[in-house]
Amino acid sequence: MSIDKTSATEPGTASPQDAPPVENPEAAAAAVTAVDPRLLVQEEGLLGYWNEFKRKMKAGELGSLPVIVGLAVICVIFQALNSNFLSAQNINDVTITMVGTGMISVGIVFVLLLGEIDLSVGSVSGAASALMAVLAVNQGWPEWAAVLLAVVAGLAIGALHGFFFAVLGAPAFAVTLAGLLFWLGFMLKVLGEDGTINLDGDGLVAKLTTYYFSDIAAAYGLAVIVVGVFFLTSFLGNRRREAAGIPSRPLSDTVLRTVLLAVVAFAAAYMYNQYKGLPLATVVFLVFLVASDFLLRRTTYGRKVFALGGSVEASRRAGINVTAVRISVFAISGGFAAIGGLFLASKIASANQSAGTGDLLMNAIAAAVIGGTSLFGGRGRTWNALLGVLVIVSIQYGLQLQSIAEPVKYMITAAVLLTTVVIDSITRKTQKTAGRA
């Protein structure tokens, strides 16, 4: 006796024929589209993109749009005020200056994804640069060994903070605030009475911000690699999603995004070649951004970090080692703080008592938030650090070209940060209303 598998149903379930009719099929279809955030353009032509854009705006899925629009507005305003703003030299200066703070901000992104904060990164960056300078200059260590030990020290310091937070249960705010004070004192103690240690101008650390790939093929070659890798990863990713029956981007969407990236990449390469060439600092920063983005978005560890930012209890019940992940995130933050401190020391060719102080901490946190990382945890990307620090440094250089006083710079940066936080709060409320939070 055979069984008709097409008509058989499980016990206790209703067959499709027994299901009640849908009163408004159009509304039901729209609801399905709104619920799944991965559903993309389904219609042909520009109308499909426009309808998808409106859906995302209504659902609060702003992504990096606000900061990109803001950055464009900043460029237009300051270029109108001073034609040197978009000059090759100024763009070069902006991109090199932002690397130190940007590195620290990448580590902050990891911590913010947990919904926590790390107030020690400024002092840790200063302590790492001081330790490197003492070992390399005063003690005669090979510079590469001093750099390696400084980064390892940053990782260890971050892990120590994570231990107090994750194991002993102390609030991250209090732990890292204590770290801010302790490692600031450590830096002053290490530097000694002189307070300043000059670095070798031809050394490894100094070259981080002074070395350029002068051959024009270097900048254009990097642009080709970036665009090519982006297209291949996007295309192959879409193929895998299609094979698995998961909604994916149409090929036209991938091509459009690739073209836009190519315009930006080759424009940047052209501007670099108008000055001294491709800066080593930019290459290193991009490598760290790609590596950290891959870690967060393409690995099991990254999914655990996002899960903790969404719900600690749910993550624990899912079998995630919450303690280990928390400690590792703070270790990563300390490591990036140390790397950022080395770039900041390279920029001034010395390690001194002002390292890691001033507005560095606030700028690093502000860059992550302005770039699109949520203060509430669970949402953000390491590329947000790049966008955010680019906004902050562009504002600083634009105001500097206009000879604006330092107090005004602080107020304008604060206004940008407040606007970003307000947008983030409104976005979360919109997503809750749309059932997406």
Side-chain angles (χ1 to χ4, degrees):
M1 179 179 178
S2 63
I3 298 175
D4 184 2
K5 296 182 180 180
T6 60
S7 60
T9 58
E10 292 293 331
T13 61
S15 66
Q17 292 82 357
D18 298 330
V22 178
E23 295 182 359
N24 192 340
E26 292 80 5
V32 171
T33 302
V35 169
D36 189 346
R38 297 170 302 182
L39 288 174
L40 299 166
V41 180
Q42 300 294 328
E43 301 161 279
E44 296 294 333
L46 295 176
L47 180 61
Y49 287 97
W50 175 246
N51 289 338
E52 179 65 12
F53 174 77
K54 291 191 296 182
R55 182 192 69 77
K56 287 185 176 181
M57 293 301 100
K58 291 180 181 179
E61 301 175 42
L62 300 179
S64 300
L65 180 62
V67 67
I68 293 175
V69 172
L71 186 59
V73 171
I74 289 170
C75 292
V76 170
I77 292 176
F78 283 122
Q79 179 65 15
L81 294 174
N82 192 316
S83 59
N84 291 324
F85 181 76
L86 292 180
S87 66
Q89 180 176 353
N90 195 60
I91 290 177
N92 174 83
D93 292 343
V94 167
T95 53
I96 290 181
T97 300
M98 74 180 188
V99 172
T101 305
M103 285 288 191
I104 300 174
S105 186
V106 171
I108 289 291
V109 169
F110 279 81
V111 178
L112 289 180
L113 287 174
L114 296 183
E116 302 295 340
I117 193 67
D118 188 348
L119 300 178
S120 68
V121 289
S123 296
V124 173
S125 70
S129 64
L131 181 61
M132 178 277 304
V134 167
L135 294 176
V137 179
N138 294 354
Q139 302 298 323
W141 280 38
E143 197 166 359
W144 66 266
V147 168
L148 180 60
L149 184 62
V151 175
V152 171
L155 291 168
I157 291 171
L160 179 63
H161 295 164
F163 173 81
F164 282 107
F165 165 60
V167 177
L168 301 184
F173 178 90
V175 171
T176 55
L177 179 59
L180 181 155
L181 298 173
F182 182 88
W183 299 114
L184 175 60
F186 175 84
M187 177 189 71
L188 298 177
K189 180 69 175 177
V190 167
L191 289 174
E193 296 181 357
D194 293 337
T196 299
I197 299 177
N198 294 322
L199 303 178
D200 179 8
D202 295 325
L204 173 64
V205 175
K207 288 184 177 180
L208 288 176
T209 55
T210 60
Y211 184 82
Y212 292 82
F213 299 97
S214 57
D215 192 333
I216 62 173
Y220 288 122
L222 180 61
V224 170
I225 292 173
V226 169
V227 174
V229 170
F230 175 81
F231 176 78
L232 287 177
T233 54
S234 299
F235 179 76
L236 295 177
N238 289 334
R239 292 290 296 272
R240 287 194 298 268
R241 295 173 71 88
E242 291 175 1
I246 302 174
S248 61
R249 299 184 188 277
L251 180 59
S252 58
D253 185 283
T254 301
V255 171
L256 176 61
R257 290 169 178 263
T258 303
V259 170
L260 292 176
L261 177 61
V263 170
V264 175
F266 281 96
Y270 173 79
M271 295 302 292
Y272 282 136
N273 285 331
Q274 298 306 302
Y275 188 54
K276 295 181 179 180
L278 177 66
L280 173 64
T282 300
V283 177
V284 175
F285 191 28
L286 288 177
V287 169
F288 274 99
L289 283 172
V290 171
S292 57
D293 182 70
F294 180 86
L295 177 65
L296 277 178
R297 297 178 60 242
R298 303 293 182 181
T299 66
T300 302
Y301 173 79
R303 289 191 286 272
K304 291 178 180 179
V305 173
F306 280 105
L308 258 65
S311 173
V312 174
E313 185 58 31
S315 300
R316 183 179 288 110
R317 294 187 179 187
I320 295 176
N321 190 332
V322 174
T323 300
V325 173
R326 282 175 163 175
I327 292 176
S328 66
V329 165
F330 277 89
I332 290 173
S333 178
F336 271 104
I339 296 171
L342 296 178
F343 274 92
L344 292 172
S346 173
K347 191 72 171 61
I348 60 175
S350 68
N352 57 41
Q353 293 179 340
S354 64
T357 60
D359 58 358
L360 175 62
L361 171 62
M362 291 300 101
N363 283 343
I365 297 175
V369 176
I370 290 173
T373 304
S374 176
L375 283 168
F376 303 98
R379 181 165 57 85
R381 295 181 60 180
T382 53
W383 291 100
N384 296 149
L386 169 63
L387 292 173
V389 75
L390 191 56
V391 167
I392 291 176
V393 177
S394 295
I395 291 175
Q396 292 174 344
Y397 269 75
L399 295 176
Q400 183 176 325
L401 288 174
Q402 296 302 117
S403 301
I404 302 297
E406 196 70 22
V408 179
K409 295 181 183 179
Y410 284 116
M411 290 187 285
I412 292 178
T413 303
V416 173
L417 176 59
L418 178 60
T419 301
T420 305
V421 173
V422 170
I423 292 175
D424 183 33
S425 300
I426 294 175
T427 298
R428 286 180 61 85
K429 291 180 180 178
T430 305
Q431 289 177 340
K432 287 182 179 179
T433 303
R436 292 292 316 284

